[in-house]
Amino acid sequence: MKLNGAQILLESLLQEGVEKVFGYPGGAVLDIYHALRDYPLQHFLFRHEQGVVHAADGFARASGKVGVALVTSGPGATNAVTGIATAFMDSIPLVVLTGQVPTQLIGNDAFQEVDIVGISRSCTKHNYLVKDVKELAKTIKEAFYLARSGRPGPVLVDLPKDVIQSKAEFYYPKQVSMRSYNPNYTANKRQIQKSVGMIKKSRRPLIFAGGGVIASNAHEELCALARKLQVPVTSSMMGLGAFPGNDPLHLGMLGMHGTYVANMAVNYTDLLIAVGVRFDDRVTGKLETFAPDAKIIHVDIDPTSIRKNVSVDVPIVSDCRQALAALNEGFEQTGSEEDFPGRFASWRDKLRAWNEAHPLTYDSKGKSIKPQMVIETLYEITQGEAIISTEVGQNQMWAAQHFKYNKPRTWLTSGGLGTMGYGFPAALGAQVAFPDSLVIDIAGDGSIQMNIQELTTAVSHQLPVKIIILNNSCLGMVRQWQELFYEKNYSCTCLERIPDFVKLAEAFGAEGYRITEQQEIEPVLRQALASKKTAVVEVVVDQGENVYPMVPSGAGLNEMLLV
Amino acid sequence: MRHTLSVLVENEPGVLSRVAGLFSGRGFNIESLNVAPTMEKGVSLMTIVTGGDELIIEQIQKQLRKLITVVKVVDMNEVKHVDREMVLIKVNATEHTRAEVLRIVDIFRCKVVDVSPSELTLEATGDQGKIKALSNLLHRFGIKELARTGTVALRRSMQMKD
């Protein structure tokens, strides 16, 4: 039987195991929305296409599955771009379906026409314009395959209206073969042997885990390696949760707002074992002084990540999980006569001393609420049993520093692109993936206003996400830079007019809470977290509080500003 | 340093903009770019002349390979190869200078492909050095227009050692 393009699309989604789709309808995708009623797909209607894509992204990060977003042509597609770029920078698997004007109108500046394949070229892993309905099923198959394989990423499929309306036999290919795309998953044996040898020779080894560990589900392999050898672990922001934050071997995050001990460890290590990272500038600081004494082993599935920013001694192009498993095996084969834990003990002692000398801290003496207190209380109440998403800026850094992520896929944040407005819709996507989990968005008063319209979405789909707004009445991180580097000229960062978040929440049909005194923090948070409804908790915090440690832009990691 | 990259690509709409966009988006430089179909159906060959230090050239090749529509990338500088470029030059050739221009045509084994009372259009093929030498010599007569194909290159059949 012949199906129309819309039906073929939805059949293909079912074949891929998709159950939940995030979207926003429009003229060019009407046929798809019409066909939706006949398919067992749950559709989540958002209020802005940026929210749609962030939600699909949050769903993907939390669940490990491919997130699916469906938006219309023109403005629907351009609104989706920020979400796509966010996913691209953080290697998140998405399939983004955009409507397009009918093929005969393409290029004619038709109503709601935009060249989204052209626009999204540099922020997708790959993209397609489907010109023939006979190509549709194959294209969807390829899109999912590309999104989830190799280094994952968003794939966009542009669907002209006439293609969606015309008919073809439905045949879903079982396999994909693309001669120009063959990601390498297995680690080169010789490189693994070499790495094992270098770890054996090292005195001050350090594992640096990134988002690739989470993407490849290498959590257990990483824990096994670190614990067996008793090698300390630091994480990039994207790597938080790859190694348990409450493990004594974990030094916390490194980089611009990393812990003192993590940055000092990088500075003094003689062997940096970097797994699933790309040496972003926020991690390395000044490249010339990054890990000055270290040989570097770098595992990443993407060859372009290797030797892009930092020169390495042992490059390993591989899936992180396979490489870590091979390293574990390498140590098993060579016998355990050597006492690694004992050998690295003095190194760990040194790190412990650094951490005791300069732990993560803040001045908690005054009456005002410090944002760090709120995050610490959240951790105490939840014991880490929550999925945390963040917006971008100070709220994100405090959430990265003061909450411990003990499991992978419980920390959702826009690392590479730094997208304000990401956290709330991403939290909704995570809640869709895990309806029974506690999902919390840690926000600032600035960034929450970027996608606050999704409160409607949360309430109408009964997604009981909790939003904790650390309200310091300013764009805190930008203000911090102005204070430290721009003569305290607080140009356009003080938000004089802030909405009444409690009333706003109530107007959307959610619960609203406000915390203004220190002693209210715990009871009110407990009350809000226990609620079955979407809840907004506004916490009025000290405006002058800054994120420390801080490595000024362009400085070396050992040049931290401390509290 | 200048490198000549041979890039086999799937011949589908947008492939040129994917490659060109990669170069502009990442701040790589394209000195010349030539694209045409190959013997194999559905596959085109791009010859890209670019420049940069070792790390940049490595990154360019890796980034090209990462594009889904790129089948194969070969750095011609790594192998023995022949490279050629064709140029069409429209040069002033008056009564007084025509004989001299034609002598140069002869020496450089160019062809005259168009004639007018005051101009000659020449076709020349060669490597970059030859094209440069030719245009330098013709400069004094006044080059009116010039069109170049960009370099094309093939690996030599016999990879002799130096």
Side-chain angles (χ1 to χ4, degrees):
Chain A
M1 197 186 78
K2 287 196 170 179
L3 302 180
N4 70 26
Q7 293 166 319
I8 290 174
L9 172 70
L10 299 178
E11 286 286 350
S12 303
L13 295 183
L14 291 183
Q15 294 281 329
E16 290 295 333
V18 175
E19 294 167 350
K20 293 165 181 182
V21 174
F22 303 89
Y24 200 100
V29 288
L30 269 169
D31 295 270
I32 302 171
Y33 275 85
H34 182 61
L36 208 52
R37 65 173 177 195
D38 302 327
Y39 288 86
L41 286 161
Q42 208 180 345
H43 180 273
F44 292 86
L45 174 65
F46 277 65
R47 292 299 182 274
H48 188 288
E49 289 86 352
Q50 187 188 348
V52 167
V53 182
H54 287 330
D57 172 313
F59 174 90
R61 288 188 209 226
S63 68
K65 296 178 190 163
V66 177
V68 179
L70 171 59
V71 299
T72 194
S73 65
T78 52
N79 276 345
V81 170
T82 302
I84 297 171
T86 303
F88 182 65
M89 287 291 268
D90 291 345
S91 309
I92 305 305
L94 296 185
V95 169
V96 180
L97 307 161
T98 51
Q100 183 54 281
V101 301
T103 40
Q104 70 273 16
L105 289 182
I106 290 178
N108 285 4
D109 300 326
F111 177 64
Q112 291 195 330
E113 180 191 356
V114 76
D115 172 18
I116 193 61
V117 168
I119 288 173
S120 66
R121 194 165 287 135
S122 60
C123 62
T124 50
K125 183 169 172 183
H126 194 55
N127 57 21
Y128 295 90
L129 169 63
V130 183
K131 284 193 165 163
D132 184 343
V133 69
K134 293 193 198 81
E135 295 289 312
L136 180 55
K138 177 174 168 276
T139 305
I140 299 297
K141 178 83 187 173
E142 285 185 7
F144 274 86
Y145 172 65
L146 287 174
R148 64 163 78 97
S149 63
R151 176 175 177 176
V155 178
L156 181 140
V157 184
D158 202 18
L159 303 161
K161 190 163 184 176
D162 57 320
V163 170
I164 284 305
Q165 289 172 332
S166 46
K167 291 189 167 182
E169 286 293 337
F170 176 68
Y171 167 72
Y172 203 66
K174 294 232 158 28
Q175 279 180 336
V176 181
S177 90
M178 299 169 81
R179 64 171 161 182
S180 53
Y181 177 77
N182 292 298
N184 181 43
Y185 289 97
T186 39
N188 179 301
K189 280 202 180 110
R190 202 177 279 175
Q191 299 292 72
I192 292 291
Q193 280 167 4
K194 206 169 160 189
S195 305
V196 169
M198 283 166 75
I199 295 170
K200 281 182 172 177
K201 274 194 220 129
S202 73
R203 295 278 160 192
R204 301 183 303 280
L206 176 67
I207 296 175
F208 166 26
V213 176
I214 294 166
S216 66
N217 299 314
H219 169 69
E220 282 171 24
E221 287 77 3
L222 175 68
C223 290
L225 183 73
R227 285 174 180 157
K228 181 191 175 87
L229 305 178
Q230 289 292 300
V231 174
V233 180
T234 179
S235 309
S236 67
M237 190 171 69
M238 291 301 298
L240 291 173
F243 189 77
N246 59 1
D247 191 300
L249 286 171
H250 196 243
L251 308 179
M253 178 171 83
L254 81 169
M256 184 171 273
H257 293 295
T259 60
Y260 179 81
V261 60
N263 284 341
M264 291 304 274
V266 174
N267 210 44
Y268 283 92
T269 178
D270 65 351
L271 180 65
L272 189 66
I273 307 155
V275 189
V277 300
R278 59 188 177 87
F279 295 101
D280 174 81
D281 56 282
R282 285 294 192 267
V283 152
T284 61
K286 192 177 173 185
L287 276 170
E288 294 77 33
T289 58
F290 178 74
D293 297 336
K295 294 238 190 280
I296 299 180
I297 298 167
H298 187 186
V299 180
D300 201 274
I301 194 152
D302 180 0
T304 66
S305 291
I306 291 171
R307 274 162 61 86
K308 183 167 70 181
N309 301 328
V310 169
S311 67
V312 298
D313 300 276
V314 186
I316 302 177
V317 177
S318 160
D319 176 66
C320 294
R321 186 175 181 176
Q322 298 216 14
L324 287 166
L327 281 174
N328 281 324
E329 212 172 284
F331 279 100
E332 264 158 39
Q333 279 168 0
T334 53
S336 53
E337 67 272 18
E338 208 164 347
D339 172 27
F340 291 108
R343 179 155 169 195
F344 305 139
S346 63
W347 168 231
R348 289 194 307 276
D349 288 344
K350 193 169 188 180
L351 295 174
R352 198 171 304 120
W354 272 329
N355 193 37
E356 277 161 16
H358 298 287
L360 270 183
T361 186
Y362 58 94
D363 178 7
S364 54
K365 287 194 275 297
K367 271 186 148 181
S368 63
I369 299 179
K370 293 299 173 93
Q372 297 95 327
M373 292 173 182
V374 181
I375 312 286
E376 284 176 350
T377 311
L378 270 178
Y379 183 74
E380 280 158 27
I381 296 174
T382 60
Q383 288 300 302
E385 289 297 316
I387 297 172
I388 304 287
S389 74
T390 74
E391 305 296 335
V392 164
Q394 289 183 324
N395 61 79
Q396 180 184 32
M397 292 304 132
W398 285 317
Q401 291 177 335
H402 295 275
F403 197 94
K404 293 185 183 73
Y405 302 92
N406 300 328
K407 283 186 236 162
R409 303 195 179 280
T410 57
W411 162 247
L412 322 174
T413 196
S414 170
L417 198 67
T419 309
M420 289 170 73
Y422 168 80
F424 179 36
L428 295 175
Q431 188 80 78
V432 166
F434 296 102
D436 301 325
S437 294
L438 175 60
V439 184
I440 303 169
D441 172 36
I442 293 172
D445 50 295
S447 35
I448 194 58
Q449 293 186 66
M450 286 215 177
N451 271 321
I452 198 150
Q453 76 285 348
E454 303 305 346
L455 272 171
T456 310
T457 312
V459 171
S460 55
H461 286 288
Q462 297 175 336
L463 299 168
V465 164
K466 314 299 174 215
I467 305 172
I468 314 295
I469 303 173
L470 304 173
N471 180 2
N472 56 6
S473 300
C474 67
L475 304 175
M477 187 57 91
V478 182
R479 184 190 176 281
Q480 177 170 341
W481 282 56
Q482 288 172 332
E483 179 185 329
L484 297 172
F485 313 116
Y486 289 86
E487 303 164 6
K488 299 192 179 172
N489 172 18
Y490 300 123
S491 179
C492 300
T493 48
C494 295
L495 305 177
E496 279 143 23
R497 181 90 187 107
I498 302 236
D500 181 331
F501 286 114
V502 173
K503 279 190 187 157
L504 191 62
E506 287 165 359
F508 277 106
E511 290 176 357
Y513 301 84
R514 182 175 290 117
I515 297 173
T516 55
E517 308 284 337
Q518 284 188 11
Q519 65 271 19
E520 294 171 343
I521 297 175
E522 194 186 330
V524 177
L525 280 181
R526 278 191 189 279
Q527 194 187 346
L529 298 190
S531 166
K532 296 267 182 283
K533 285 187 156 182
T534 309
V536 176
V537 185
E538 178 195 7
V539 191
V540 179
V541 300
D542 189 339
Q543 185 176 57
E545 189 62 18
N546 285 342
V547 180
Y548 291 112
M550 179 178 193
V551 178
S553 186
L557 288 190
N558 56 342
E559 302 172 67
M560 283 168 272
L561 309 175
L562 299 169
V563 177
Chain B
M1 192 182 158
R2 178 188 284 154
H3 280 246
T4 305
L5 305 177
S6 263
V7 186
L8 272 182
V9 297
E10 303 279 3
N11 186 8
E12 55 182 51
V15 64
L16 178 60
S17 70
R18 284 183 206 280
V19 171
L22 186 150
F23 275 77
S24 63
R26 294 194 177 267
F28 304 142
N29 148 57
I30 297 182
E31 197 171 298
S32 75
L33 169 69
N34 175 289
V35 198
T38 61
M39 302 278 286
E40 191 180 341
K41 202 176 164 231
V43 176
S44 287
L45 179 65
M46 289 188 182
T47 310
I48 303 172
V49 179
T50 181
D53 62 25
E54 191 198 335
L55 280 174
I56 290 176
I57 298 295
E58 178 184 326
Q59 214 22 245
I60 290 173
Q61 292 186 59
K62 285 174 168 179
Q63 293 288 356
L64 281 169
R65 289 193 184 105
K66 191 170 159 181
L67 292 178
I68 308 295
T69 37
V70 168
V71 181
K72 192 179 174 190
V73 181
V74 177
D75 182 357
M76 284 296 175
N77 291 42
E78 305 274 305
V79 296
K80 299 282 179 207
H81 67 280
V82 282
D83 60 65
R84 291 291 181 272
E85 182 175 13
M86 193 184 89
V87 59
L88 295 174
I89 304 178
K90 191 181 285 172
V91 61
N92 284 331
T94 60
E95 225 174 300
H96 305 293
T97 59
R98 183 161 299 233
E100 174 91 34
V101 171
L102 286 171
R103 250 196 307 279
I104 294 171
V105 165
D106 219 25
I107 293 164
F108 279 81
R109 291 185 213 128
C110 308
K111 269 197 265 175
V112 176
V113 290
D114 187 44
V115 190
S116 79
S118 59
E119 293 165 355
L120 290 174
T121 300
L122 316 177
E123 173 197 316
T125 308
D127 59 19
Q128 295 227 342
K130 178 175 166 182
I131 303 290
K132 196 168 176 198
L134 176 65
S135 57
N136 282 348
L137 273 173
L138 292 175
H139 186 71
R140 64 194 162 107
F141 305 109
I143 293 174
K144 306 282 287 242
E145 274 184 283
L146 184 147
R148 300 168 68 160
T149 58
T151 299
V152 291
L154 283 179
R155 193 174 185 275
R156 282 190 190 274
S157 303
M158 296 174 73
Q159 292 287 310
M160 306 275 204
K161 285 200 180 122
D162 289 322

